Amino acid sequence: MQTVLSILLALIVFGVIIFVHEFGHFFTAKLFGIQVNEFSIGMGPKVFSWGKGETAYSLRVFPVGGFCAMEGEDGGELENPRAFNRKPKWQRCIVLVAGGFMNVVLGLVIMFGLTVSSDLFSTTIISGFRENSVSNTSVSGGDCLREGDEILKVNNTAAHVAMDLSFALSSDQDGIVDILVLRDGEEILLEGVTFNVAGEDGVTYTMIDFTVYGIDNTLSHLFDTRGVSIGTHLLNCVKSVGRAFAETWYSTCSVVRTIWVSLIDMFTGKYGLTDLSGPVGTTGAISQAAGMGLESLLLMAMFISVNLGIFNLLPFPALDGGRVVLLGVEAVRRKPLDPRIEAGINIAGLVILFGLIVVVTFSDIMKLF
């Protein structure tokens, strides 16, 4: 029963992420007076639909996507002044990028909610070392970390929040890194700091063996001054709001950076198709996160939403980013592309994407056995 509820919750979360994406297209299309013929969540046969007037709203069988079908979106419609392809290029560009943009905004909202509700804000100041740690010893003649060090950079990657540390260290493979720290008010470059490494599926990564300090989040005890004056408490609340915005921004940027690095690693061969997750794998990951609690579920939803937004903005045919590129080509040529050529490019992209989805979904299913 718990498994069924987790899967149902996963489908709801996935549906919300898709809805937000398609709503970005829908809202901006309506804003610019573009005729929207159908707004759908899901793909395949309709489960049911409703609505009167020009727009039909529908729910479809397969919860693997959705669409916002606009008049003239695929070319051919030249008479209707409200057709997509009759609108100025800058308006069409906004409509196309609005879906991915809304997914990133959703990710920011989720991350802000998680951050503002936590008891502590993260720092990059070392509070102690775990058992069997090696980064605090001079292994192989390299420098070492000390308690109280504030980590500023790891291998030239800036560290603003704890998530930056996690990204920078986990992406290192040999366990030997250069770290810029603030120690006793002085910036010091520690060269060759050594960490233990671990491996999984042929990929090695550096293990973090220290803990960091947290800063009290006054917003988590808004009505409890904890012995300080009202004025001081209010000032601490204002500071906490500022820290919440800063941590939300830096943490989301860290997630975006992780996604881009993962994409680059995939194209360079570090990861293969078996390391990707399709709808089945994503649903399973959300279900697993749901079983671990609300915070884990929301963090997973945040990661998937930002991931979807960025992926859709890639300059690949059939994706929103690919269609923006075609708009750019149209702007350079100063005349529309041949609708047949544009349709052929997008169809080719769709075939490749659906083929990728089939392969990855098959891989997801095989991982279950």
Side-chain angles (χ1 to χ4, degrees):
M1 186 65 179
Q2 183 64 37
T3 302
V4 174
L5 289 175
S6 295
I7 293 176
L8 181 60
L9 188 58
L11 292 176
I12 292 173
V13 170
F14 202 49
V16 170
I17 293 172
I18 294 170
F19 171 82
V20 168
H21 179 91
E22 298 303 332
F23 180 77
H25 296 311
F26 176 83
F27 174 77
T28 50
K30 290 288 189 179
L31 182 66
F32 295 132
I34 298 171
Q35 180 176 322
V36 179
N37 296 327
E38 184 177 355
F39 179 88
S40 175
I41 300 300
M43 306 292 283
K46 292 181 182 179
V47 176
F48 59 86
S49 64
W50 68 97
K52 295 182 179 180
E54 68 177 37
T55 305
Y57 303 89
S58 61
L59 182 67
R60 295 176 180 260
V61 172
F62 304 112
V64 294
F67 59 86
C68 175
M70 295 171 282
E71 184 75 10
E73 185 178 6
D74 298 319
E77 176 56 62
L78 297 176
E79 301 300 326
N80 188 345
R82 297 184 59 215
F84 176 81
N85 58 354
R86 291 289 303 277
K87 295 297 180 177
K89 295 179 184 62
W90 67 271
Q91 292 186 1
R92 284 183 277 167
C93 183
I94 289 175
V95 172
L96 291 173
V97 303
F101 175 78
M102 286 298 294
N103 278 131
V104 175
V105 169
L106 176 61
L108 283 167
V109 170
I110 294 174
M111 180 59 77
F112 181 78
L114 289 171
T115 302
V116 81
S117 62
S118 63
D119 293 330
L120 298 171
F121 297 118
S122 70
T123 71
T124 61
I125 303 173
I126 297 176
S127 61
F129 295 87
R130 298 190 174 96
E131 187 178 356
N132 300 321
S133 63
V134 294
S135 65
N136 58 336
T137 58
S138 298
V139 179
S140 303
D143 292 325
C144 60
L145 295 170
R146 296 180 188 174
E147 185 176 332
D149 283 347
E150 180 178 358
I151 299 178
L152 304 177
K153 289 184 179 181
V154 177
N155 284 342
N156 292 320
T157 298
H160 301 281
V161 292
M163 193 173 288
D164 288 332
L165 295 179
S166 178
F167 164 79
L169 290 173
S170 63
S171 60
D172 179 79
Q173 298 183 47
D174 62 5
I176 301 176
V177 297
D178 296 335
I179 301 179
L180 180 67
V181 301
L182 184 65
R183 180 183 294 173
D184 299 327
E186 180 183 359
E187 290 188 6
I188 302 174
L189 178 62
L190 305 178
E191 298 181 330
V193 179
T194 303
F195 292 84
N196 289 318
V197 296
E200 184 177 350
D201 298 328
V203 178
T204 59
Y205 55 90
T206 297
M207 300 178 65
I208 299 176
D209 60 7
F210 57 82
T211 57
V212 295
Y213 283 106
I215 299 175
D216 177 52
N217 177 13
T218 311
L219 301 175
S220 66
H221 52 92
L222 190 60
F223 301 104
D224 181 6
T225 63
R226 296 187 178 180
V228 301
S229 66
I230 296 295
T232 301
H233 183 67
L234 291 175
L235 179 60
N236 289 337
C237 286
V238 173
K239 290 180 179 179
S240 288
V241 170
R243 289 193 182 102
F245 278 114
E247 182 154 345
T248 296
W249 174 253
Y250 286 123
S251 295
T252 305
C253 287
S254 187
V255 169
V256 171
R257 186 165 47 192
T258 300
I259 294 169
W260 278 110
V261 170
S262 298
L263 287 170
I264 293 171
D265 287 340
M266 184 186 69
F267 286 114
T268 56
K270 183 176 180 180
Y271 301 115
L273 287 177
T274 56
D275 297 307
L276 299 177
S277 287
V280 174
T282 302
T283 302
I286 298 175
S287 298
Q288 186 177 7
M292 297 170 64
L294 181 60
E295 183 176 349
S296 296
L297 175 64
L298 290 175
L299 192 59
M300 177 62 71
M302 176 267 179
F303 188 87
I304 292 173
S305 185
V306 174
N307 195 359
L308 177 64
I310 291 175
F311 182 78
N312 267 277
L313 295 177
L314 291 176
F316 187 83
L319 294 178
D320 296 332
R323 298 178 67 187
V324 170
V325 171
L326 292 179
L327 270 181
V329 172
E330 181 180 322
V332 172
R333 296 176 73 244
R334 295 186 178 181
K335 63 179 180 179
L337 291 171
D338 186 325
R340 292 172 297 179
I341 295 177
E342 184 173 355
I345 293 173
N346 287 324
I347 289 173
L350 279 174
V351 170
I352 294 173
L353 287 176
F354 277 116
L356 180 62
I357 289 174
V358 170
V359 172
V360 173
T361 300
F362 179 77
S363 175
D364 287 340
I365 293 172
M366 293 303 296
K367 291 175 185 177
L368 299 176
F369 298 98

